[in-house]
């Protein structure tokens, strides 16, 4: 459903709010980069940066300023400190624009767009490279990695022009692997309303930093009560006729709850920070809730 | 009691289960797009797999009700007395016996009635004659095969001009039908007031010439002859010609070509010889649509024979001889109608006789004579006592009924045992009496009393009402007529109510569908 709101959702993103959020985020993260948690294999490359990566034996040509004399004394061999390449602080925000993101109302898409913009701001403010990929059954639009304020403007322009598909477009997150750098982290913003909760897509993106934000509508399962209706999946066009009784809605809610449970379990297992939000919450609350999650430090 | 005019339409109710069945398969118009159909799969499985609904769309009830209302309305339900008894009023007047294409109108009407009765299961049918409403015929439902022959036999002859009953006299618990050609204006006036549900109209022909009057009387100028009168009327709307044939004692004595204008009348008079009993037969040719009024017969009786016995006076003899309806006979072999005995009654007299006493002395009547009720029409004859003379003496033992007395003096006595007789104790030859102008009338009256019939006023005549021969039909209409409808009191046609209810339910269903569609769109 196209974003035909009289007021674009990005209009609600005041820079003051973003700045305030960034300050809160800074305090929450306490200077730490936005990473995942657990012992998952994260590909980090040594290179120019300030973040310590590891030690290795000194070889000819190494910068003497990088030699850690204390460790060298302990090891009785010169050791060079390696730092993480700042090139790994790149993030792609993968925003799902399949048709389900426009149902049952446009508020879901609005919140998703706001979250995407907020995340882009936060990441860019922390001097990360940020890119934006809109996907449905395939990557459909992309804003490549960039830094700084001008790049934020590009991202916003792309977000303003974006809208959920009117119909069709199954959420194929795994296809984003084709456009997203294998070293970049990914923030997935979607409703995750796929049979497997997009676990297969997440699995395809394994090896990256992944954050998952599930955006649902407050009335996701709300239907006219006690009517015989034909439900049509807006993405697959399949149909199902049933009585929209209280029992039916209860069963659907249970299925949704099970999806979220399974997804959360999967994310936990794969060290993917996962947050569910509904249109009842604001984008600020959603971002802060996600940041407040406790991430056990990596060994 | 509920009855149905076309119960076959109830077969449409068999489609109600079909509607219910179809509403289990057919998707309702309300299509709701959802973000994830698989979330509802469990709910669908709980209803039975999703392909077929455990419960049909509730709208099936409303649509089935619409169909049921339509089927019931077409079946023609009627709450009341549709099966009430049927009473058929048959116009059996003369015009209904007119021929059309060789078939009588009454026969055509009977055939139409039989066809109409076969369309409905009528438990009881009563046929009544409009000419004589007391005359009726019941048609038993188990003898429907013989209805036609029974009706035609019952209506073999015309019954007369219609005497329709007053509307209040017609039973309200039965349904009334009428078979008529409407030729009689009385029916046209009666029908709007009568609770007649159906009229079987017959007749198209309008032309008819009728013989309306045949009369004969003794000629006043030519004794021994009869004067005859024939009247012919054209009751049609076009001029026509007919051949008038007159037969006297089976002999054709006269023919004449008559040209009659529309509604025209032709009268012809002619002279016939008088004698013994004669028969006058008049006929029109060629015959037309109503042959029953194209000929007529007139029996002309001969003069009554009077035999005189004894020495009757000349005045009496002259009065009897001059009477046009009497003739004096002399022979003793034939039986006279009346024997006038002047003196003793002959022993061979077996019929009525008039006894007079001319040989006995008379004396003047002192009091005014008075007629008694037994004298009948003789009471109109005023007799003044002046000039009257009575003959005292014994009265015939059989004469004990006084006809004329003057005080206590019997003047004319009558008796009837063993035969009718009159003993006249008046001096019928008294000069004062015989000079009275009423003398012949008195003699005629005495003879008429014995014969028990008038002699001077009555003459043979055959008459037909011209209106009865007018056969031009009139299409009967009236306020009470409603072809095919039941106007009997107490019945209510339920079809409009059912159609209205069905329409209302259809509007309600349409409104619900529109509301659901627009609500979802919003």
């Amino acid at each position: 459903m196209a974003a035909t709101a009289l007021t674009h959702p990005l209009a609600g993103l005041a820079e003051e709010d973003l700045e305030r959020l960034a300050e809160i985020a800074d305090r929450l993260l306490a200077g730490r980069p936005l990473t995942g948690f657990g012992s998952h294999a994260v590909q980090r490359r040594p290179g120019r940066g300030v973040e310590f990566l590891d030690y290795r034996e000194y070889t000819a040509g190494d910068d003497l300023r990088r030699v850690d004399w204390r460790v060298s004394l302990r090891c009785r061999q010169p050791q060079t400190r390696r730092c993480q390449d700042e090139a790994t602080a790149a993030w792609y925000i993968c925003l799902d624009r399949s048709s389900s993101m426009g149902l049952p109302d446009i508020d879901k898409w609005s919140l998703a767009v706001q979250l995407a913009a907020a995340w882009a701001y936060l990441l860019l403010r922390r001097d990360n490279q940020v890119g934006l990929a809109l996907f449905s059954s395939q990557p459909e639009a992309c804003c490549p990695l960039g830094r700084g304020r001008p790049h934020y403007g590009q991202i916003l322009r792309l977000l303003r022009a974006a809208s959920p598909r009117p119909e069709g477009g199954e959420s194929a997150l795994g296809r984003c692997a084709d456009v997203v750098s294998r070293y970049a982290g990914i923030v997935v913003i979607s409703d995750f309303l796929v049979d497997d909760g997009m676990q297969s897509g997440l699995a395809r993106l394994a090896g990256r930093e992944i954050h998952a934000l599930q955006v649902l509508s407050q009335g996701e399962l709300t239907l006219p009560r006690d009517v015989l209706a034909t439900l049509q999946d807006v993405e697959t066009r399949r149909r199902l006729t049933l009585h929209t009784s209280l029992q039916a809605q209860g069963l659907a809610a249970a299925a949704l709850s099970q999806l979220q449970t399974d997804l959360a379990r999967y994310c936990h297992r794969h060290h993917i920070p996962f947050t569910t939000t509904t249109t009842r919450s604001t984008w600020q609350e959603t971002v802060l809730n996600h940041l407040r999650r406790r991430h056990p430090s990596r060994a | 009691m509920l009855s149905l005019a076309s119960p076959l339409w109830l077969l449409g109710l068999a489609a109600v289960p079909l509607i219910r069945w179809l509403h289990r398969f057919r998707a309702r118009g309300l299509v709701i797009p959802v973000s994830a159909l698989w979330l509802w799969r469990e709910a669908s499985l709980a209803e039975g797999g999703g392909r077929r609904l455990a419960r049909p769309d509730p709208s099936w009830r409303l649509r089935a009700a619409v169909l049921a209302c339509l089927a019931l309305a077409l079946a023609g339900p009627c709450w009341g007395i549709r099966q009430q008894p049927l009473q058929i009023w048959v116009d059996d007047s003369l015009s209904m016996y007119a021929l059309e294409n060789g078939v009588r109108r009454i026969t055509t009407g009977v055939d139409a009635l039989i066809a109409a009765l076969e369309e409905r299961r009528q438990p009881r049918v009563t046929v009544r004659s409009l000419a004589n409403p007391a005359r009726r015929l019941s048609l038993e439902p188990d003898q429907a095969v013989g209805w036609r022959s029974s009706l035609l036999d019952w209506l073999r002859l015309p019954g007369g001009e219609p005497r329709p009953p007053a509307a209040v006299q017609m039973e309200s618990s039965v349904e009334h039908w009428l078979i008529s050609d409407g030729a009689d204006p009385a029916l046209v006036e009666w029908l709007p007031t009568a609770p007649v549900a159906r009229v079987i109209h017959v007749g198209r022909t309008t032309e008819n010439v009728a013989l309306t009057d045949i009369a004969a009387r003794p000629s006043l100028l030519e004794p021994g002859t009869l004067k005859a009168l024939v009247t012919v009327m054209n009751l049609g709307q076009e001029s026509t010609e007919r051949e008038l044939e007159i037969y006297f004692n089976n002999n054709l004595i006269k023919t004449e070509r008559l040209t009659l204008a529309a509604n025209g009348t032709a009268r012809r008079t002619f002279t016939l010889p008088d004698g013994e009993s004669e028969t006058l037969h008049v006929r029109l040719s060629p015959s037309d649509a109503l042959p029953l009024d194209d000929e007529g017969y007139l029996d002309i009786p001969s003069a009554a024979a009077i035999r005189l016995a004894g020495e009757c006076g000349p005045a009496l003899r002259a009065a009897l001889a001059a009477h046009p309806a009497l003739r004096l006979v002399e022979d003793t072999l034939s039986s006279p109608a009346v024997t006038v005995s002047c003196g003793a009654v002959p022993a061979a007299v077996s019929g009525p006789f008039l006894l007079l006493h001319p040989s006995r002395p008379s004396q003047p009547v002192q009091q005014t004579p008075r007629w008694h009720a037994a004298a009948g029409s003789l009471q109109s004859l005023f007799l003044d006592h002046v000039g009257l003379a009575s003959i005292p003496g014994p009265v015939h033992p059989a004469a004990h009924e006084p006809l004329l007395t003057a005080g206590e003096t019997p003047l004319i006595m009558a008796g009837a045992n063993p035969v009718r007789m009159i003993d006249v104790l008046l001096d019928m030859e008294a000069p004062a009496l015989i000079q009275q102008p009423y003398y012949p009338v008195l003699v005629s009256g005495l003879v008429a009393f014995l014969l028990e019939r008038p002699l001077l006023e009555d003459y043979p005549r055959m008459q037909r009402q011209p209106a009865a021969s007018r056969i031009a039909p009139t299409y009967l209409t009236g306020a009470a007529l409603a072809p095919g409808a039941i106007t009997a009191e107490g019945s209510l046609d339920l079809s409009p109510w059912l159609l209205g209810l069905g329409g209302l339910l259809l509007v309600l269903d349409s409104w619900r569908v529109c509301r659901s569609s627009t609500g979802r769109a919003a």
Side-chain angles (χ1 to χ4, degrees):
Chain A
M1 197 181 302
T4 56
L6 293 177
T7 307
H8 195 277
L10 292 179
L13 244 65
E15 185 141 0
E16 305 85 60
D17 296 333
L18 288 168
E19 195 55 40
R20 198 175 304 122
L21 180 65
E23 291 170 2
I24 298 173
D26 286 342
R27 286 199 295 275
L28 284 174
L29 292 172
R32 288 177 287 121
L34 186 67
T35 60
F37 62 92
S39 58
H40 66 285
V42 176
Q43 288 196 1
R44 293 185 296 172
R45 296 183 304 171
R48 294 173 59 184
V50 296
E51 187 177 353
F52 171 78
L53 180 61
D54 59 11
Y55 290 104
R56 70 172 177 83
E57 290 187 4
Y58 175 83
T59 55
D62 286 344
D63 190 354
L64 289 176
R65 289 177 292 179
R66 292 283 180 183
V67 175
D68 192 330
W69 297 108
R70 192 174 298 176
V71 173
S72 300
L73 194 62
R74 277 205 302 273
C75 296
R76 299 185 184 278
Q77 282 187 5
Q79 299 286 328
T80 303
R81 182 191 301 116
R82 291 199 306 177
C83 293
Q84 185 176 338
D85 191 351
E86 288 188 349
T88 61
W91 292 90
Y92 263 99
I93 299 174
C94 294
L95 177 59
D96 184 358
R97 69 170 293 258
S98 63
S99 49
S100 65
M101 290 297 290
L103 282 179
D105 52 60
I106 199 61
D107 291 343
K108 188 201 287 188
W109 171 255
S110 301
L111 180 58
V113 165
Q114 290 170 344
L115 287 172
W119 273 107
Y121 184 88
L122 287 178
L123 291 170
L124 286 170
R125 190 178 178 280
R126 294 178 68 82
D127 205 27
N128 292 294
Q129 285 184 318
V130 177
L132 178 64
L134 302 176
F135 74 96
S136 59
S137 55
Q138 59 188 7
E140 295 181 354
C142 186
C143 180
L145 293 170
R147 293 178 193 270
R149 200 177 188 78
H151 189 68
Y152 179 67
Q154 288 184 12
I155 291 175
L156 286 184
R157 276 194 291 277
L158 184 59
L159 286 173
R160 281 202 186 94
S163 62
R165 289 174 65 99
E167 59 182 17
E170 299 180 3
S171 302
L173 177 62
R175 298 290 301 275
C176 290
D178 300 335
V179 296
V180 174
S181 169
R182 59 195 299 265
Y183 298 109
I186 296 177
V187 177
V188 181
I189 303 176
S190 172
D191 55 8
F192 289 89
L193 292 180
V194 185
D195 286 23
D196 63 347
M198 291 165 71
Q199 292 180 21
S200 56
L202 291 172
R204 185 129 184 257
L205 297 173
R208 297 179 175 84
E209 293 272 353
I210 301 177
H211 288 251
L213 292 170
Q214 184 184 38
V215 180
L216 296 173
S217 176
Q218 186 176 349
E220 191 73 42
L221 301 176
T222 302
L223 294 175
R225 183 72 62 83
D226 283 331
V227 297
L228 189 70
T230 299
L231 307 183
Q232 182 176 19
D233 192 302
V234 68
E235 292 182 1
T236 64
R237 309 303 302 276
R238 293 199 189 101
R239 289 189 173 194
L240 195 67
T241 302
L242 53 69
H243 243 106
T244 59
S245 60
L246 201 59
Q247 181 193 13
Q249 294 190 341
L251 289 172
L256 178 60
S257 176
Q258 186 63 44
L259 166 75
Q260 292 172 319
T261 303
D262 294 342
L263 185 57
R265 197 173 293 146
Y266 175 87
C267 291
H268 180 80
R269 199 162 54 243
H270 293 86
H271 313 295
I272 300 173
F274 172 70
T275 300
T276 293
T277 187
T278 68
T279 52
R280 193 163 38 192
S281 303
T282 63
W283 57 272
Q284 299 96 317
E285 293 168 347
T286 306
V287 172
L288 289 176
N289 285 339
H290 186 76
L291 293 175
R292 283 194 186 107
R293 297 177 71 87
R294 293 178 60 187
H295 307 286
S297 57
R298 204 167 33 86
Chain B
M1 183 175 94
L2 183 68
S3 62
L4 299 171
S6 306
L8 281 178
W9 280 106
L10 292 179
L11 290 176
L13 294 175
V16 170
L18 179 65
I19 290 178
R20 184 179 187 277
W21 184 74
L22 287 174
H23 278 68
R24 291 186 66 188
F25 287 96
R26 188 177 72 84
R28 197 168 181 241
L30 183 60
V31 177
I32 305 176
V34 294
S35 52
L37 187 67
W38 60 272
L39 290 174
W40 300 92
R41 197 176 299 132
E42 199 65 33
S44 170
L45 288 173
E47 281 198 353
R51 288 185 186 176
R52 192 168 62 180
L53 303 170
R55 289 191 300 165
D57 183 349
S59 298
W60 80 268
R61 297 190 189 100
L62 204 57
R63 290 154 193 175
V66 172
L67 176 69
C69 285
L70 182 62
L72 286 172
L74 289 173
C78 183
W79 183 263
I81 44 179
R82 185 181 282 270
Q83 289 294 329
Q84 61 192 150
L86 192 60
Q87 199 157 89
I88 314 295
W89 294 89
V90 179
D91 177 7
D92 52 349
S93 60
L94 189 62
S95 63
M96 287 291 286
Y97 291 80
L99 291 171
E100 294 187 353
N101 296 325
V103 180
R104 286 177 167 179
R105 286 181 182 177
I106 196 76
T107 305
T108 305
V110 167
D111 291 337
L113 172 66
I114 299 296
L117 290 177
E118 285 175 355
E119 292 177 356
R120 47 191 285 171
R121 294 172 295 146
Q122 196 59 39
R124 282 172 288 165
V125 180
T126 304
V127 184
R128 297 180 70 172
S129 162
L130 269 177
N132 182 8
R135 186 167 170 256
R136 59 180 70 194
L137 173 71
S138 293
L139 301 178
E140 300 300 326
D142 55 349
Q143 298 172 0
V145 177
W147 281 358
R148 185 177 187 275
S149 58
S150 299
L151 278 166
L152 291 178
D153 185 63
W154 191 69
L155 296 167
R156 189 174 62 253
L157 296 173
E161 293 314 291
R163 293 183 294 167
V168 293
Q169 293 177 322
M170 298 174 71
E171 298 173 48
S172 58
S173 60
V174 302
E175 183 181 343
H176 298 275
W177 289 9
L178 172 67
I179 303 175
S180 176
D181 56 3
D184 196 297
L187 283 182
V188 179
E189 292 178 12
W190 166 75
L191 191 60
T193 65
V196 173
R198 186 170 181 175
V199 173
I200 298 175
H201 184 83
V202 295
R204 287 196 192 134
T205 309
T206 60
E207 304 305 308
N208 184 41
V209 176
L211 199 61
T212 59
D213 195 0
I214 307 175
R217 62 165 175 77
S219 172
L220 299 176
L221 298 177
E222 300 171 41
T225 62
L226 296 171
K227 270 292 191 187
L229 170 69
V230 171
T231 304
V232 178
M233 292 183 69
N234 179 11
L235 299 157
Q237 298 165 0
E238 298 173 1
S239 63
T240 185
E241 288 185 353
R242 288 286 190 278
E243 191 76 19
L244 178 66
E245 299 172 359
I246 300 174
Y247 297 84
F248 188 63
N249 291 333
N250 298 320
N251 299 316
L252 178 65
I253 61 171
K254 186 181 174 64
T255 62
E256 184 181 343
R257 189 82 181 162
L258 300 178
T259 301
L260 299 158
N263 293 314
T265 302
R267 288 195 179 85
R268 297 291 183 269
T269 58
F270 45 91
T271 304
L272 301 170
D274 192 6
E276 297 291 329
S277 294
E278 290 106 1
T279 301
L280 183 62
H281 176 206
V282 183
R283 190 173 71 180
L284 296 171
S285 65
S287 183
D288 52 21
L290 189 59
L292 288 177
D293 61 4
D294 289 342
E295 63 180 338
Y297 290 85
L298 187 65
D299 291 326
I300 305 171
S302 59
I306 305 295
R307 187 162 74 217
L308 296 175
E311 295 294 325
C312 294
L316 179 65
R317 187 184 290 270
L320 290 172
H323 198 292
L326 302 176
R327 59 186 174 87
L328 294 176
V329 295
E330 300 296 337
D331 63 285
T332 59
L333 295 177
S334 59
S335 297
V338 172
T339 300
V340 178
S341 173
C342 300
V345 177
V349 171
S350 59
F353 64 91
L354 188 67
L355 180 60
L356 295 101
H357 309 278
S359 60
R360 280 156 53 173
S362 61
Q363 59 189 32
V365 174
Q366 300 297 329
Q367 294 177 314
T368 301
R370 182 175 68 86
W371 289 102
H372 291 254
S377 59
L378 283 170
Q379 295 177 84
S380 61
L381 196 61
F382 175 72
L383 300 180
D384 190 2
H385 74 281
V386 177
L388 287 184
S390 65
I391 301 176
V395 180
H396 192 281
H400 53 81
E401 182 79 47
L403 298 184
L404 183 69
T405 58
E408 297 295 325
T409 305
L411 299 176
I412 301 176
M413 299 292 286
N417 191 9
V419 294
R420 288 179 71 84
M421 57 81 64
I422 294 176
D423 189 354
V424 180
L425 297 167
L426 270 177
D427 184 4
M428 294 299 287
E429 295 299 323
L433 179 62
I434 65 176
Q435 291 175 4
Q436 295 297 327
Y438 57 75
Y439 181 81
V441 180
L442 175 62
V443 172
S444 172
L446 291 173
V447 175
F449 182 90
L450 289 172
L451 292 177
E452 297 182 276
R453 62 179 174 87
L455 294 176
L456 293 176
E457 293 122 9
D458 188 22
Y459 56 91
R461 189 173 194 177
M462 184 221 76
Q463 269 188 314
R464 294 192 180 105
Q465 291 296 326
S469 294
R470 198 176 296 276
I471 66 171
T474 303
Y475 191 78
L476 295 168
T477 58
L481 280 182
I486 301 300
T487 59
E489 190 176 328
S491 66
L492 177 64
D493 188 3
L494 299 176
S495 298
W497 297 96
L498 288 168
L499 284 174
L501 178 62
L504 206 64
L505 294 175
L506 196 62
V507 168
L508 179 63
D509 184 50
S510 303
W511 174 75
R512 289 183 68 226
V513 170
C514 288
R515 188 189 68 167
S516 302
S517 301
T518 54
R520 185 61 188 171

